[in-house]
Amino acid sequence: MCPAALGLVAQAPTEASMSLQRIVRVSLEHPTSAVCVAGVETLVDIYGSVPEGTEMFEVYGTPGVDVYISPSMERGRERADTRRWHFDTGLEIIVVMNSPSNDLNDSHVQISYHSSHEPQPLAYAVLYLTCVDIALDCDLNCEGRQDRSYVDKRQWVWGPGGYGAVLLVNCDRDDVTCYDQDNCDRHVNCLQDLEDMSVMVLRTQGPAALFDDHKLILHTSSYDAKWARVFHACGPEDSCEAYRHVLGQDKVSYEVPRFHGDEERFFVEGLSFPDARFTGLLSFHVTLLDDSNEDFSESPIFTDTVVFRVAPWIMTPSTLPPLEVYVCRVRNNTCFVDAVAELARKAGCKLTVCPQKENRNDRWIQDEMELGYVQAPHKTFPVVFDSPRNGELQDFPYKRILGPDFGYVTREPQDSSVSGLDSFGNLEVSPPVVADGKEYPLGRILIGGNLPGSSGRRVTQVVRDFLYAQRVQPPVELFVDWLAVGHVDEFLSFVPAPDGKGFRMLLASPSACFKLFQEKQKWGHGRALLFKGVVGDKPVHTVSINQVLSNVNLISYNKFVQSCIDWNREVLKRELGLTERDIVDIPQLFKTERKKAVAFFPDLVNMLVLGKYLGIPKPFGPIINGQCCLEEKVRSLLEPLGLHCTFIDDFTPYHMLHGEVHCGTNVRRQPFSFKWWNMVP
């Protein structure tokens, strides 16, 4: 290939664009025209045959055309118009135009070939250039970067200095007249729906006549098309009918018509959260195609790319401020609902009561769902994660909670692998922690399962896959198979604290309970009774401190329970970076039913945390000097932290059914102030 056969390769001088190679052949006999893209380098190869006797060459560009010579990779580049160059097969000519053309072929590059034996050039080659500016833009969310201009749209970078576009799963239902979620159809049903989407703008500048024989194609891969949908605003943006579905699912490419001249707006919605088969990353491209030659197929000139990351579903720990409390009203829990309502009033929370006709006496609203949120720079909204337990409450999250700016997600196994561990009392999250030098600014998810290598119960795989795939709250798996119900909230909870790490982890402790009872027995209170004053449908037999401390089987079993909790204690200390100062042992005893553990008296750690207000199961412990010694002990441990303890009678409607206050309530909380994209997973 001679110097006149100029090969043009669009390359990215900054990190802003993706490039495709294009070869343009230029004849010595007649000029050739080509299209270049503003800010993108054009590489001119000068190899092969040259006019006979050629020893040197000169290169000049018209105003607005910058031409450089790159003698070698080591020497960098120099401006081409400074001197005459010896012909060398290692030389490269680089052409850059930074401003779009006003007309076709209004700029050019001229190459002249010289011999030391001839006073005049041996030949000329002229390449006429038309420059077009093409950019596929979106909010790259680079507020933490000092230099925002040099970011690679093809990359998505975590951390405070990172960048990358964020895409929300459009899983709410803004149009209340529709039954399905917004991303379940190919239409924009109401204009509010657009607020949950990310805007992608295609900007083009250059001669309009260029597009008589050139095309702009918006495209994605067939894999990425599964996870997102793109709408094109093809008319007045205040009309739902203007938004045309152009990419996503079975549509992988779209020829962009030039409706609005220099700018076309697209709206992108996520269809699925990250999961085992989907990392959360999506790419969209726009390619300029040359369709000017009827004898050849279209050829690509330039491609620009943007990458989105689908926002993860984020859980909120009990230490975040509460916004709304959920509770079910059933046939025998009126006093319980009233107590929760009073606690919500004190905490300044909204109260939502699920009526009996909707819950059909399924009171375990904590087990049915987990309330979290999704966040992008332009929008944050809550999302309910519906558990696969599918009790009588199974319709409540979809029918009552899903709505405008309140999303919904669920994961259902294909087989019958659901167990009690798939209820979301077995799904908690810690406050922000630092463990082994690694920061977890959004905390870590806590789920319960069996011991490594054992064949006990585990959380179903589809739920596990979903939780791990979110990445921002890496799960910690605890040992809960020793419990009859098998939930992490049966032996731990978190409360806010004014010092230290900003929280305390509460752990159920048989050892602490036996120590407390032994102290009371020593002071002559061995005859004080547990369960005195319980009112319910069935009589509950009282038991004294002396009877508890003489029950060999109860003591032996609780030693086993303590060993199970101690196992988890060490895992939590290691994985959450906790010390003993961060842990409060709450007195609690367990008993065995069918070789599994259940609470002997109402489980004190299974509490409702509403800021500084705690709704704790009333334990009906031994009354000493007019005070329940268990309540007194818990107050002495928690009230110095600025917490207010309210003991709620849940004995008959919840405890007798192996659940407590936390099991029977749920809370929507404020999102973290920390933005998830600023962390480094």
Side-chain angles (χ1 to χ4, degrees):
M1 186 183 299
C2 69
L6 305 178
L8 303 184
V9 182
Q11 295 181 333
T14 68
E15 297 176 304
S17 302
M18 178 178 177
S19 60
L20 288 174
Q21 183 171 356
R22 187 187 189 219
I23 303 298
V24 178
R25 301 189 179 279
V26 180
S27 171
L28 289 173
E29 286 76 23
H30 55 81
T32 303
S33 62
V35 175
C36 64
V37 177
V40 178
E41 297 178 349
T42 297
L43 177 65
V44 181
D45 296 327
I46 50 174
Y47 302 111
S49 61
V50 297
E52 185 177 351
T54 296
E55 299 172 3
M56 308 180 77
F57 67 92
E58 292 180 347
V59 184
Y60 295 96
T62 54
V65 180
D66 296 327
V67 186
Y68 302 92
I69 297 293
S70 178
S72 66
M73 293 295 292
E74 294 78 17
R75 291 179 55 188
R77 64 181 64 175
E78 302 177 34
R79 289 195 64 89
D81 55 5
T82 57
R83 60 189 176 93
R84 187 173 291 183
W85 299 85
H86 285 282
F87 181 74
D88 185 337
T89 56
L91 293 177
E92 292 179 341
I93 301 175
I94 300 166
V95 175
V96 181
M97 294 185 68
N98 292 311
S99 299
S101 298
N102 294 317
D103 299 297
L104 293 176
N105 301 325
D106 63 358
S107 300
H108 70 265
V109 171
Q110 177 177 283
I111 303 174
S112 57
Y113 306 100
H114 299 268
S115 167
S116 59
H117 304 293
E118 296 291 338
Q120 299 298 321
L122 300 178
Y124 293 94
V126 178
L127 175 62
Y128 285 98
L129 298 173
T130 301
C131 182
V132 60
D133 194 1
I134 298 173
L136 190 60
D137 292 327
C138 54
D139 181 0
L140 293 178
N141 191 27
C142 51
E143 59 187 15
R145 288 179 61 91
Q146 292 184 353
D147 187 352
R148 303 185 186 186
S149 59
Y150 288 89
V151 296
D152 187 348
K153 294 187 292 185
R154 298 167 296 173
Q155 304 293 324
W156 205 98
V157 181
W158 293 90
Y163 53 86
V166 176
L167 185 63
L168 294 174
V169 177
N170 193 12
C171 59
D172 66 342
R173 182 171 57 203
D174 289 312
D175 186 350
V176 295
T177 64
C178 294
Y179 178 79
D180 293 325
Q181 295 163 264
D182 289 340
N183 61 3
C184 288
D185 61 34
R186 303 183 179 203
H187 306 284
V188 174
N189 294 309
C190 66
L191 295 178
Q192 289 75 19
D193 194 14
L194 298 170
E195 297 175 6
D196 304 332
M197 302 186 194
S198 294
V199 178
M200 187 166 62
V201 180
L202 172 59
R203 295 184 172 92
T204 57
Q205 286 185 290
L210 176 71
F211 294 96
D212 293 342
D213 52 15
H214 288 75
K215 298 178 181 178
L216 283 171
I217 305 296
L218 189 69
H219 57 104
T220 189
S221 69
S222 57
Y223 177 80
D224 285 355
K226 299 176 184 177
W227 315 113
R229 189 181 288 118
V230 179
F231 296 91
H232 184 196
C234 298
E237 293 193 2
D238 59 354
S239 169
C240 291
E241 289 72 25
Y243 299 92
R244 176 184 175 190
H245 170 226
V246 297
L247 282 185
Q249 296 176 310
D250 59 336
K251 297 184 177 184
V252 296
S253 65
Y254 171 63
E255 182 178 345
V256 182
R258 290 176 60 80
F259 288 128
H260 307 124
D262 294 344
E263 185 174 294
E264 300 293 336
R265 283 163 56 87
F266 300 87
F267 293 81
V268 190
E269 66 177 359
L271 302 182
S272 181
F273 285 95
D275 217 320
R277 298 185 303 114
F278 175 43
T279 66
L281 288 177
L282 295 161
S283 297
F284 294 100
H285 320 277
V286 65
T287 294
L288 177 64
L289 294 179
D290 184 350
D291 194 29
S292 61
N293 195 321
E294 297 179 355
D295 298 327
F296 301 100
S297 61
E298 302 162 339
S299 59
I301 296 175
F302 170 78
T303 296
D304 201 14
T305 297
V306 295
V307 173
F308 287 89
R309 183 178 291 279
V310 173
W313 178 75
I314 301 172
M315 289 182 64
T316 53
S318 57
T319 51
L320 285 175
L323 297 174
E324 183 174 8
V325 179
Y326 295 83
V327 66
C328 291
R329 188 181 299 280
V330 295
R331 64 174 181 81
N332 64 344
N333 76 338
T334 299
C335 293
F336 177 85
V337 172
D338 290 344
V340 170
E342 175 60 19
L343 197 71
R345 185 194 65 77
K346 289 180 180 178
C349 296
K350 177 183 176 182
L351 178 70
T352 295
V353 178
C354 176
Q356 188 173 359
K357 66 179 181 180
E358 293 184 22
N359 63 55
R360 292 167 288 189
N361 274 333
D362 183 355
R363 65 203 70 201
W364 309 115
I365 198 165
Q366 180 66 228
D367 289 341
E368 182 59 38
M369 62 188 191
E370 187 67 42
L371 295 162
Y373 69 95
V374 293
Q375 186 172 53
H378 69 282
K379 186 70 176 286
T380 301
F381 61 83
V383 175
V384 58
F385 185 13
D386 191 0
S387 81
R389 73 183 278 266
N390 290 341
E392 296 300 320
L393 267 171
Q394 64 176 319
D395 294 335
F396 180 74
Y398 194 88
K399 290 185 176 180
R400 282 289 303 275
I401 295 183
L402 171 65
D405 288 341
F406 210 132
Y408 172 93
V409 63
T410 190
R411 287 295 182 270
E412 298 275 354
Q414 298 298 314
D415 53 25
S416 57
S417 60
V418 174
S419 72
L421 272 63
D422 295 305
S423 297
F424 284 171
N426 193 35
L427 174 61
E428 299 297 324
V429 66
S430 78
V433 293
V434 179
D436 196 24
K438 172 70 174 175
E439 294 184 3
Y440 300 95
L442 301 175
R444 300 191 69 177
I445 287 172
L446 307 176
I447 56 175
N450 51 32
L451 288 174
S454 68
S455 58
R457 297 168 294 172
R458 298 183 79 198
V459 174
T460 190
Q461 193 64 45
V462 291
V463 172
R464 289 163 52 83
D465 288 344
F466 175 82
L467 296 175
Y468 276 91
Q470 306 314 303
R471 297 190 64 186
V472 295
Q473 297 173 309
V476 177
E477 300 199 38
L478 301 174
F479 174 38
V480 301
D481 201 30
W482 53 277
L483 288 157
V485 176
H487 294 174
V488 293
D489 69 350
E490 296 179 77
F491 66 89
L492 70 81
S493 61
F494 296 92
V495 295
D499 57 2
K501 294 180 172 67
F503 67 89
R504 295 289 191 276
M505 181 175 72
L506 311 185
L507 286 181
S509 175
S511 295
C513 191
F514 282 128
K515 181 180 179 181
L516 176 65
F517 284 180
Q518 288 165 354
E519 289 175 354
K520 300 306 179 183
Q521 184 187 57
K522 179 181 178 181
W523 288 97
H525 302 295
R527 294 184 178 181
L529 299 175
L530 284 87
F531 309 130
K532 187 177 180 180
V534 172
V535 178
D537 299 334
K538 298 179 181 179
V540 177
H541 298 291
T542 58
V543 58
S544 69
I545 290 177
N546 288 337
Q547 289 174 307
V548 169
L549 294 179
S550 63
N551 188 327
V552 176
N553 290 334
L554 184 66
I555 292 172
S556 175
Y557 189 72
N558 274 275
K559 286 182 178 178
F560 161 73
V561 169
Q562 187 66 61
S563 70
C564 295
I565 294 174
D566 286 345
W567 169 282
N568 289 309
R569 185 191 201 97
E570 293 307 310
V571 172
L572 289 160
K573 286 168 66 175
R574 180 178 67 249
E575 298 297 332
L576 302 184
L578 304 182
T579 67
E580 287 298 322
R581 294 180 59 187
D582 304 314
I583 302 172
V584 178
D585 291 306
I586 302 296
Q588 185 65 48
L589 293 181
F590 294 82
K591 61 184 179 180
T592 180
E593 287 190 8
R594 300 178 183 176
K595 299 183 179 181
K596 300 287 186 179
V598 296
F600 182 69
F601 53 80
D603 191 349
L604 291 161
V605 299
N606 194 276
M607 64 179 66
L608 173 62
V609 181
L610 301 179
K612 64 182 180 180
Y613 297 98
L614 309 181
I616 306 171
K618 185 175 181 61
F620 290 95
I623 303 298
I624 298 172
N625 298 326
Q627 295 287 330
C628 169
C629 68
L630 286 169
E631 291 186 18
E632 186 178 43
K633 181 63 176 179
V634 171
R635 289 185 191 276
S636 72
L637 293 170
L638 300 182
E639 288 185 348
L641 300 174
L643 303 171
H644 298 263
C645 300
T646 299
F647 292 90
I648 298 175
D649 181 0
D650 72 349
F651 202 98
T652 298
Y654 293 91
H655 173 70
M656 295 293 286
L657 301 175
H658 298 162
E660 309 290 356
V661 174
H662 185 259
C663 304
T665 56
N666 215 313
V667 184
R668 176 172 64 89
R669 301 182 184 274
Q670 286 185 16
F672 285 98
S673 59
F674 182 88
K675 303 299 188 286
W676 63 266
W677 50 82
N678 286 327
M679 72 174 291
V680 180

